[in-house]
Amino acid sequence: MTGVETKPNWYRLCYVDDLVPQSGVCALLERAGEEDQQIAVFYLPEEREQLFALGNYDPVGKAFVLSRGIVGDLQGHLVVASPLYKQHFDLRTGRCLEDQSISVPVYQVRLADDRVEICA
Amino acid sequence: MSVLKVVVVGNGMVGHHFVTTLAKKDLDVEIIVLGEEPRIAYDRVHLSEVFAGREASDLALASLDTYAELGITTRLGDPVVSLDRETKVVVTQSGARFNYDMLVLATGSYPFVPQVPGADHPRCLEYRTIEDLEAIKSAALGSKRGVVVGGGLLGLECANALQNLGLDTHVVEFAPGLMSVQLDAPGSQQLRTRIEGLGITVHTSKNTTNIKSVGSKSLRMEFADDSSLNTDLIVFSAGIRPRDELAKASDLVTGERGGIVINEHCITSDPSIYAIGECALHEGRVYGLVAPGYRMAETAADRIAGGSACFTGADMSTKLKLLGVDVGSIGDAHAQTVGAQVCALSDEQAGTYKKIVISSDGKKLLGAVLIGDCDNYDTLLQYQQNDIALPDTPVSLITPASGTPLLAANALPKTATICSCHNVTKGCIIDAIEAGCGSLADVKANTAASTGCGGCATMLKSLVDDELAARGVVIDKSICEHFPHTRQELFHIAKINSLQSFEDMITHAGTGKGCDICKPAIASIMASLWNDHILKPSLVSQQDTNDTFMANMQKDGTYSVVPRIPGGEITPEKLIVLGEVGKKYDLYTKITGAQRVDLFGAQLHQLPDIWRELTDAGFETGHAYGKALRTVKSCVGSTWCRYGVQDSVGMAILIESRYKGLRAPHKIKSAVSGCTRECAEAQSKDFGVIATENGWNLYVGGNGGMRPRHADLFATDLDDATLIRYIDRYLMFYVRTADRLQRTSTWLDSLEGGLDYLKEVVIDDSLGIAAELEEQMSHLVNTYQCEWKTALGDPEMLKRFRRFVNSDGNDKGVQFVRERGQKRPARDDERDDVIAVAS
Ligand code: SRM
Ligand SMILES: Cc1cc2nc3c(=O)[nH]c(=O)nc-3n(C[C@H](O)[C@H](O)[C@H](O)COP(=O)(O)OP(=O)(O)OC[C@H]3O[C@@H](n4cnc5c(N)ncnc54)[C@H](O)[C@@H]3O)c2cc1C
Ligand code: SF4
Ligand code: FES
């Protein structure tokens, strides 16, 4: 079962083995009494943070696909490009580079032994 | 002194230009914008691009944040409903009151709908706002025919949009010709021929007298001449009327036929009130274009800041933005100036009509009309706007291939207007470059040139290129910020240094971490050179999403599955397998435009199961997801057809089997026809083969799609072996030298020396590389593997084919409804009554 609460508000999502370096995967955050949430988790082992988590919903393409975008950097921002219409979302702030008025949720994420945990 | 309070009514294009211009002046003002539409100002001029796939949100001209940074207070979705000039107060619909020192009316216009009984039917629509556009889109769903009332600039643009929506499109015009404001009679006739050539039906001299509803979703238009036309929807685009209702209600002076009267300072009959844009009437004229509105906005802003700017009328030259029809009208197109002389050239065979209007002394260009060929638009516009002396034989400006060079940007005076939308002169552009702008993008961002209608783009680019080159700047052709190289250069760097991965490439030749431009481009180069499996760990994170999952992502995040059906030939047994798989996984099934079957609506985790069944039955991947060889279409050929002279199906299968899996700068398509009747449409393909009595004719550089191009005949009467050898060389030369995402058609057009050069390289081996090209191709042919089949045998590669890495839960984002016996993605408005959540 995912979404086991370890400390207040921190939830286990998946194993580090589930991740794909330089790329994203989608994990489901299932919590009792709450709507399930799709989280896009990106694994960039050479970055200081190593892990980044955004909501998986692409507000422009209106589909749950951000985990399947290409990761890279643009003008100094670490970004994922939406696979649908190629807008870039900042992995650290969730901001859309092409349209300041659009952003996606960002989650704190950390590694606890071999587990990926997020704060939600 | 207290701060000057400026209230602006209307946040359209001109209102927006006004507030940003005023806010950037160093003035002590408080700016309040009151807008009726629910969203911030957007680019109405490019509204139609939304029909062609652009997002409505991309059209925004600003954001609430940028307004806030400029100190502008914004209230949207709440129109002003009254104006009290005595107390200087405006009141909005929700009751909010704002007092002003200066009021600016920028309320634009509304589409004119003739007073015809039935014109208020819900399937009678207008076209001005994003909401109108959404309404047209949803009315078009399930409709077959659409009529545009109005054959002017906007009406034709709207007709193009309806056609993009797949409707059988008709234009109904009251006048005897199309675009009668801009064009003369012969020009208008030539335009009609062109428009009809696009499949749009044109009805002129039609006075609509009645609109009746027929059933729940259809209409019947009746005309004064007793004829009638049935349709499923009507869009009115028969001219505009200024929105002067606030002005009228508060007794400002308005024109007889509408419009708020302004003087050359853009001030109305009340000295504290300005009017700008399409609501304003200047010297008896309402300007329906954005550039004059911008000039008014600048004038008003300058006046408020204490300046002395004047609006003295504006140029009405225009180009039509329709895809596939070039139409331009400049200045005095109807030759109304006293003593004006006309030179006109009409070429019915080429479908072009060009006319210039010249001053009585033959020295100056007064106006022009161009149909079917706008190449000279920029040049003519410069002659007209800058009073440049005409050559001795002015007609040489419009005669084809007369050798008269186009007026080069460097021949223009500094005062020449390059971009009339934003009033940017050649001088402004040179200043921007002097001040440090080092690229076209910089110049655009800095001067706003070419960010309006785009009509000046070619001229601007050549000017900027010239100016930068004159300063010794090398024009930047880098593919993105990570590599200072073109795709061709990257290909050579990879080949010469035997670089095998993106990491190798970026360490060797780039900086940073890469992006969605360079990563897939390099992944494609790696595949063309080394042909490793695209899901190899060192390659997988660079692939486009479609390649990563070896399927095409659809709008809802599900995927389509396209097995290869070489040449379009398929046994009944295999067809049954496709049917069974479609049925088992409940996939939407469709015959594609390229002679195969597409199965839509599969979820990520289902792809391996579906492909296992397909590969077990002998199918291979169709690479519909890759920039790779797609299909080789065939006609039935000599085996069955009474006219066929060769076995076209056999040749198509041979070609498709040889080049399947070949990755290239863009997708590659082919076809083989069994005789000159050309049922396989080989001349619209990247390479096409047509059977002759003596062998095969090879065609190259054809394209369907957005900019269709007929293929060029490359070689005739080839035997099988020579045919394949030429195709090997041709394709490999393309793979080596084309730009990223450049189809063979545009590549061929950009090759210096063109078709003749290509023949020299491929047929005469002028570069001495033919053997190398063939060798490279045979390496690729020999290392082919069905990517799906390999992946199915490798658990590590399949690991990613999971909806969620940690759960088997449902993806609630994916919802389907049923239509015509199959599922399809639910639309936003259907999301509540779905038949099933995908499992
Ligand atoms: C499925 C299909 C339409 C159909 O239902 O018939 C189709 C569907 C798509 N086409 Fe196409 N095209 C399909 C035949 C064509 C054809 C006809 C043909 O191949 O004979 C053309 C015109 C011929 C040509 O390419 O020259 C065609 C010209 C395009 C273009 C415009 C290319 C151009 O050079 O202008 C695009 C956009 C692009 O590639 O950038 C495109 C892009 C697409 C994409 C990939 C759009 C996208 O990014 O989602 C569509 C997704 C395919 C999918 O999910 O499977 N499709 N598309 C056809 C698949 C054929 C197949 O079996 O592989
Ligand atoms: C499809 C299309 C294609 C076009 N193509 C071209 C082209 O190629 N080239 C070209 O030069 N021009 C083109 N135009 C025309 C161009 O868009 C207009 O000239 C321009 O938008 C005029 O700007 P405006 O600000 O005066 O009016 P608008 O952009 O219409 O803005 C007026 C705004 O005021 C608001 N408003 C009205 N009354 C009130 C009120 N009482 N309170 C608050 N707000 C109010 C309206 O809702 C609207 O948002 C095109 C127009 C359309 C519709
Ligand atoms: S299938 Fe082709 S033509 Fe049809 S919508 Fe998609 S890209 Fe456009
Ligand atoms: S002339 Fe319209 S953008 Fe330059």
Side-chain angles (χ1 to χ4, degrees):
Chain A
M1 156 93 185
T2 68
V4 176
E5 194 166 3
T6 51
K7 297 233 177 67
N9 297 330
W10 280 92
Y11 297 89
R12 278 184 188 159
L13 259 196
C14 60
Y15 292 92
V16 72
D17 271 357
D18 292 321
L19 303 174
V20 182
Q22 316 303 342
S23 186
V25 296
C26 183
L28 199 61
L29 175 62
E30 298 167 305
R31 285 177 296 183
E34 302 217 21
E35 183 97 16
D36 292 349
Q37 269 165 292
Q38 295 194 20
I39 315 283
V41 185
F42 301 93
Y43 184 32
L44 304 178
E46 74 289 354
E47 296 301 322
R48 180 171 42 82
E49 301 96 319
Q50 295 202 343
L51 289 174
F52 300 84
L54 301 179
N56 193 36
Y57 187 69
D58 169 0
V60 181
K62 300 204 172 74
F64 291 87
V65 296
L66 287 185
S67 56
R68 288 175 252 162
I70 294 185
V71 178
D73 69 333
L74 267 193
Q75 298 139 30
H77 304 269
L78 275 186
V79 293
V80 58
S82 162
L84 281 170
Y85 302 112
K86 317 292 175 199
Q87 287 81 9
H88 299 91
F89 295 89
D90 190 318
L91 292 182
R92 294 196 171 99
T93 64
R95 277 278 176 131
C96 172
L97 259 49
E98 283 77 13
D99 184 343
Q100 294 288 312
S101 67
I102 298 177
S103 63
V104 297
V106 195
Y107 301 89
Q108 268 178 278
V109 53
R110 68 180 178 200
L111 216 53
D113 301 324
D114 59 346
R115 301 272 198 160
V116 176
E117 298 188 345
I118 71 161
C119 180
Chain B
M1 203 190 109
S2 68
V3 183
L4 186 75
K5 201 162 172 181
V6 178
V7 172
V8 185
V9 185
N11 188 225
M13 297 189 76
V14 174
H16 162 75
H17 192 66
F18 170 78
V19 292
T20 47
T21 310
L22 185 64
K24 284 178 188 153
K25 293 190 189 284
D26 210 4
L27 264 191
D28 226 0
V29 281
E30 181 185 350
I31 306 175
I32 298 168
V33 178
L34 306 173
E36 170 188 61
E37 291 185 68
R39 62 192 86 231
I40 202 145
Y42 54 89
D43 185 354
R44 216 178 289 289
V45 170
H46 292 111
L47 200 55
S48 299
E49 290 178 12
V50 176
F51 288 112
R54 192 166 165 193
E55 280 293 305
S57 57
D58 290 351
L59 296 177
L61 293 171
S63 68
L64 286 174
D65 286 356
T66 49
Y67 269 28
E69 274 161 33
L70 288 168
I72 301 167
T73 309
T74 320
R75 192 180 177 94
L76 300 174
D78 189 14
V80 171
V81 291
S82 74
L83 156 61
D84 184 345
R85 298 204 278 128
E86 210 122 295
T87 54
K88 295 196 170 182
V89 170
V90 290
V91 183
T92 70
Q93 192 169 54
S94 71
R97 303 166 65 82
F98 296 88
N99 58 323
Y100 62 83
D101 297 313
M102 288 290 174
L103 183 70
V104 178
L105 299 174
T107 47
S109 63
Y110 64 90
F112 169 65
V113 177
Q115 298 247 322
V116 175
D120 53 355
H121 190 279
R123 301 190 76 80
C124 290
L125 305 161
E126 293 170 358
Y127 184 32
R128 181 151 189 100
T129 63
I130 291 181
E131 283 69 28
D132 292 342
L133 187 144
E134 306 282 332
I136 295 174
K137 270 190 174 172
S138 61
L141 280 176
S143 292
K144 292 204 176 65
R145 180 178 287 173
V147 170
V148 176
V149 176
L153 204 60
L154 263 183
L156 294 181
E157 190 174 316
C158 184
N160 190 50
L162 292 190
Q163 231 205 357
N164 278 340
L165 291 173
L167 298 184
D168 164 28
T169 305
H170 292 243
V171 172
V172 170
E173 166 62 48
F174 181 74
L178 296 174
M179 281 181 75
S180 51
V181 180
Q182 292 89 356
L183 303 182
D184 58 4
S188 168
Q189 182 52 44
Q190 195 61 261
L191 174 63
R192 179 184 185 135
T193 313
R194 287 256 162 180
I195 298 273
E196 288 175 337
L198 293 179
I200 294 174
T201 315
V202 177
H203 312 262
T204 48
S205 302
K206 288 279 177 203
N207 182 5
T208 313
T209 50
N210 197 7
I211 298 169
K212 278 194 184 147
S213 60
V214 184
S216 65
K217 290 190 108 187
S218 272
L219 302 167
R220 180 186 171 82
M221 304 174 72
E222 295 173 350
F223 305 112
D225 60 3
D226 285 342
S227 58
S228 67
L229 180 63
N230 284 353
T231 180
D232 303 315
L233 66 97
I234 300 176
V235 183
F236 284 102
S237 191
I240 53 166
R241 293 289 180 269
R243 292 192 59 177
D244 54 8
E245 57 272 16
L246 281 176
K248 278 195 173 130
S250 60
D251 288 331
L252 285 173
V253 176
T254 55
E256 219 168 277
R257 297 178 55 216
I260 311 167
V261 172
I262 57 168
N263 63 15
E264 75 271 26
H265 306 149
C266 298
I267 295 178
T268 64
S269 54
D270 177 335
S272 332
I273 304 182
Y274 289 78
I276 56 178
E278 288 190 349
C279 63
L281 184 70
H282 175 259
E283 294 188 342
R285 193 160 192 187
V286 169
Y287 288 96
L289 294 175
V290 72
Y294 281 178
R295 290 305 80 72
M296 293 184 204
E298 287 151 19
T299 306
D302 184 70
R303 287 272 154 187
I304 290 174
S308 56
C310 279
F311 177 79
T312 52
D315 176 56
M316 294 290 277
S317 302
T318 35
K319 247 185 185 176
L320 188 61
K321 303 189 294 284
L322 287 189
L323 271 186
V325 187
D326 286 335
V327 178
S329 160
I330 293 174
D332 181 12
H334 290 275
Q336 282 163 341
T337 313
V338 183
Q341 314 173 40
V342 169
C343 300
L345 275 184
S346 164
D347 181 344
E348 283 184 16
Q349 206 186 5
T352 59
Y353 171 78
K354 303 182 199 177
K355 173 175 105 171
I356 49 177
V357 180
I358 298 162
S359 61
S360 55
D361 60 5
K363 296 234 165 73
K364 283 178 187 156
L365 186 72
L366 301 174
V369 175
L370 299 172
I371 311 282
D373 175 2
C374 267
D375 287 355
N376 294 356
Y377 179 88
D378 285 345
T379 299
L380 294 173
L381 188 65
Q382 293 301 338
Y383 271 104
Q384 185 251 349
Q385 301 213 319
N386 300 301
D387 289 342
I388 297 171
L390 286 171
D392 292 341
T393 43
V395 71
S396 64
L397 290 176
I398 49 172
T399 44
S402 60
T404 312
L406 296 182
L407 195 55
N410 57 23
L412 294 172
K414 277 203 173 181
T415 49
T417 304
I418 301 293
C419 172
S420 49
C421 285
H422 291 278
N423 207 14
V424 185
T425 59
K426 179 173 168 182
C428 301
I429 287 161
I430 294 177
D431 290 348
I433 291 173
E434 292 290 332
C437 289
S439 69
L440 184 61
D442 282 357
V443 171
K444 279 168 109 175
N446 199 276
T447 63
S450 197
T451 58
C453 70
C456 60
T458 331
M459 185 65 104
L460 180 71
K461 183 171 182 326
S462 71
L463 174 59
V464 172
D465 285 356
D466 284 358
E467 291 296 327
L468 288 177
R471 287 165 181 71
V473 178
V474 183
I475 312 287
D476 189 3
K477 294 205 175 114
S478 317
I479 66 165
C480 69
E481 66 179 63
H482 304 101
F483 289 93
H485 298 288
T486 59
R487 179 187 174 278
Q488 298 91 307
E489 290 164 355
L490 289 173
F491 191 96
H492 284 281
I493 292 173
K495 185 167 187 300
I496 290 163
N497 302 294
S498 286
L499 303 179
Q500 308 273 343
S501 70
F502 182 79
E503 271 69 48
D504 290 353
M505 289 292 286
I506 205 143
T507 328
H508 196 92
T511 51
K513 304 170 208 301
C515 65
D516 55 308
I517 307 281
C518 58
K519 283 183 168 181
I522 287 177
S524 156
I525 293 174
M526 294 294 125
S528 300
L529 280 172
W530 321 121
N531 218 13
D532 286 327
H533 197 287
I534 54 170
L535 299 191
K536 202 173 134 178
S538 64
L539 300 175
V540 66
S541 69
Q542 287 93 53
Q543 307 293 348
D544 251 328
T545 323
N546 285 352
D547 276 317
T548 317
F549 297 108
M550 300 186 296
N552 296 49
M553 182 183 278
Q554 304 298 312
K555 59 200 274 190
D556 60 349
T558 64
Y559 288 88
S560 72
V561 169
V562 190
R564 190 168 292 289
I565 301 179
E569 183 186 82
I570 186 164
T571 60
E573 289 73 22
K574 277 186 147 180
L575 259 184
I576 289 169
V577 172
L578 292 181
E580 276 169 351
V581 170
K583 205 160 143 187
K584 175 162 171 192
Y585 294 91
D586 189 18
L587 301 171
Y588 169 82
T589 307
K590 180 178 182 301
I591 307 290
T592 71
Q595 298 187 345
R596 46 190 189 175
V597 178
D598 203 343
L599 307 164
F600 293 82
Q603 294 201 68
L604 204 48
H605 66 282
Q606 297 177 312
L607 290 172
D609 297 340
I610 293 172
W611 273 105
R612 191 158 283 126
E613 300 204 14
L614 291 172
T615 48
D616 283 351
F619 283 104
E620 293 188 324
T621 178
H623 291 97
Y625 45 81
K627 303 291 178 237
L629 180 88
R630 292 285 167 88
T631 68
V632 182
K633 297 214 283 188
S634 74
C635 72
V636 65
S638 59
T639 322
W640 291 90
C641 176
R642 63 194 159 132
Y643 294 118
V645 292
Q646 307 280 351
D647 174 14
S648 48
V649 178
M651 182 50 82
I653 294 174
L654 188 138
I655 293 178
E656 183 156 348
S657 309
R658 181 167 180 82
Y659 302 113
K660 65 188 177 189
L662 169 68
R663 282 196 154 69
H666 207 314
K667 59 189 174 195
I668 309 171
K669 299 179 177 184
S670 179
V672 183
S673 281
C675 84
T676 173
R677 286 165 193 75
E678 243 286 68
C679 298
E681 300 169 314
Q683 290 168 95
S684 67
K685 299 297 173 200
D686 296 274
F687 63 101
V689 178
I690 302 180
T692 67
E693 298 282 351
N694 310 313
W696 307 99
N697 283 355
L698 174 61
Y699 290 78
V700 297
N703 205 159
M706 256 167 307
R707 296 228 170 269
R709 181 185 190 280
H710 268 279
D712 292 315
L713 180 59
F714 185 77
T716 52
D717 292 333
L718 305 173
D719 58 48
D720 290 11
T722 315
L723 175 70
I724 296 296
R725 197 160 61 236
Y726 286 178
I727 301 175
D728 275 5
R729 296 176 183 178
Y730 163 72
L731 287 178
M732 221 49 234
F733 190 52
Y734 162 67
V735 166
R736 276 194 181 189
T737 58
D739 250 337
R740 164 184 169 268
L741 298 188
Q742 189 176 39
R743 290 284 292 265
T744 55
S745 57
T746 38
W747 168 73
L748 183 53
D749 284 336
S750 70
L751 263 191
E752 222 162 298
L755 186 66
D756 290 335
Y757 173 70
L758 187 65
K759 283 184 188 166
E760 285 163 22
V761 174
V762 170
I763 301 176
D764 311 330
D765 193 15
S766 61
L767 299 179
I769 55 169
E772 206 185 305
L773 296 175
E774 284 174 37
E775 201 179 310
Q776 176 105 39
M777 184 61 84
S778 77
H779 168 70
L780 297 180
V781 172
N782 294 334
T783 50
Y784 168 82
Q785 52 184 321
C786 169
E787 291 163 352
W788 260 112
K789 195 161 183 141
T790 313
L792 287 169
D794 185 339
E796 198 51 36
M797 287 184 183
L798 291 184
K799 216 178 90 178
R800 298 195 75 190
F801 291 82
R802 288 187 284 174
R803 186 166 34 181
F804 306 115
V805 290
N806 61 341
S807 162
D808 290 329
N810 275 339
D811 183 345
K812 300 211 176 66
V814 175
Q815 298 185 345
F816 299 111
V817 294
R818 294 219 159 249
E819 187 171 78
R820 298 187 291 273
Q822 303 203 63
K823 76 177 184 193
R824 65 155 170 81
R827 290 194 304 268
D828 285 350
D829 57 312
E830 294 168 333
R831 290 223 155 223
D832 290 331
D833 80 281
V834 288
I835 46 145
V837 169
S839 56

